[in-house]
Amino acid sequence: MSTLILSLETSSPICSVALHRAGKLVGQSELRLEKSHSSHLSVMVSQLLENTNHTLADVAAVAVSDGPGSYTGLRIGAAAAKGFCYASDIQLLAISTLRALAHQVATTTAHAHEYLYCPMLDARRMEVYSALYTHTGEEVVAPAPLVLDSATLSEQLTRRRVLFFGSGAAKFQPLVAEQPHAAFLLGIEPSAIAIGELAYEAYQRQEFQDVAYYEPFYLKEVYTTTPKA
């Protein structure tokens, strides 16, 4: 039987789940509701499996969006993925949120080879989580937190056309309005469909995570405050 992979995307306000067989989409579900991940994720998975006439026992691996992104969302996704893996003794895959977002755009862009792809996830103020990829997914600039100004990625922009997208791209656009190599695609959100497509490749390479010790790639430490007594 072909490999069935369940994918979870919880790094953004959108909660998304998908089911792929050998890299081909079987079904997907998406919920655009703030702070809904913890209460709706398991229900969405159950409904997706039921609607596609499958059970968790049919699934070979669970793929989770690895981050960066929302700290709370990533933790919820990781906890759910671990629970599914423990329950059915199946493999865990972790897929870069930024690489999946770049894949999502590159596979639907005409003349894709002409661009570099720069996903930007909104962080605080003028900061984003970002990376740079070729149309085939090769990493050009590693994931990092970037403080945006008019000189951001200027070296790359002098050489190649760069397509910017994701929740942080809009605040970068005015800073490079005069840069002819900068192009923007707004309204692009992380999707479990892209996670699932990359997950099949990772499954074939046996890039499995240790379920007990897996932690999402937060990129930056989370700062918490201790309540005053």
Side-chain angles (χ1 to χ4, degrees):
M1 186 176 180
S2 299
T3 304
L4 196 67
I5 296 177
L6 171 67
S7 300
L8 315 178
E9 168 52 79
T10 59
S11 69
S12 78
I14 298 172
C15 188
S16 175
V17 298
L19 201 62
H20 288 78
R21 177 179 287 108
K24 303 297 183 182
L25 184 65
V26 176
Q28 63 96 23
S29 179
E30 183 177 281
L31 183 62
R32 295 172 177 261
L33 186 63
E34 290 279 352
K35 299 180 180 179
S36 64
H37 298 12
S38 60
S39 57
H40 290 86
L41 181 56
S42 293
V43 175
M44 291 173 66
V45 168
S46 296
Q47 290 178 342
L48 176 61
L49 290 170
E50 182 179 346
N51 292 343
T52 56
N53 296 313
H54 291 96
T55 68
L56 199 56
D58 299 324
V59 174
V62 178
V64 65
S65 182
D66 187 42
S70 160
Y71 176 79
T72 301
L74 291 172
R75 286 192 67 82
I76 291 170
K82 286 183 175 186
F84 293 138
C85 290
Y86 275 126
S88 296
D89 191 24
I90 52 183
Q91 299 286 0
L92 176 65
L93 298 162
I95 305 300
S96 165
T97 306
L98 293 172
R99 183 165 180 257
L101 203 56
H103 168 81
Q104 183 177 327
V105 171
T107 53
T108 56
T109 298
H111 308 291
H113 65 282
E114 297 179 0
Y115 296 91
L116 291 177
Y117 296 83
C118 187
M120 287 184 163
L121 298 180
D122 195 16
R124 294 182 179 182
R125 300 183 179 88
M126 290 306 291
E127 190 172 33
V128 296
Y129 300 131
S130 186
L132 201 61
Y133 300 91
T134 67
H135 72 289
T136 59
E138 181 184 350
E139 187 179 281
V140 177
V141 175
L146 286 181
V147 176
L148 300 176
D149 58 36
S150 59
T152 300
L153 296 175
S154 58
E155 181 182 345
Q156 288 78 14
L157 281 167
T158 59
R159 300 175 181 175
R160 291 281 300 276
R161 298 174 71 186
V162 181
L163 186 54
F164 298 93
F165 46 91
S167 58
K171 63 186 181 184
F172 184 51
Q173 190 168 12
L175 300 177
V176 288
E178 304 301 319
Q179 174 53 259
H181 282 173
F184 288 82
L185 189 60
L186 303 182
I188 303 298
E189 300 284 355
S191 168
I193 295 177
I195 296 293
E197 290 172 354
L198 293 182
Y200 181 59
E201 300 172 9
Y203 184 91
Q204 291 180 303
R205 295 190 296 265
Q206 298 190 340
E207 295 175 352
F208 305 127
Q209 301 293 318
D210 187 315
V211 177
Y213 296 102
Y214 169 71
E215 287 288 333
F217 178 54
Y218 298 116
L219 196 54
K220 288 182 70 175
E221 289 188 19
V222 176
Y223 295 96
T224 57
T225 57
T226 303
K228 295 181 180 179

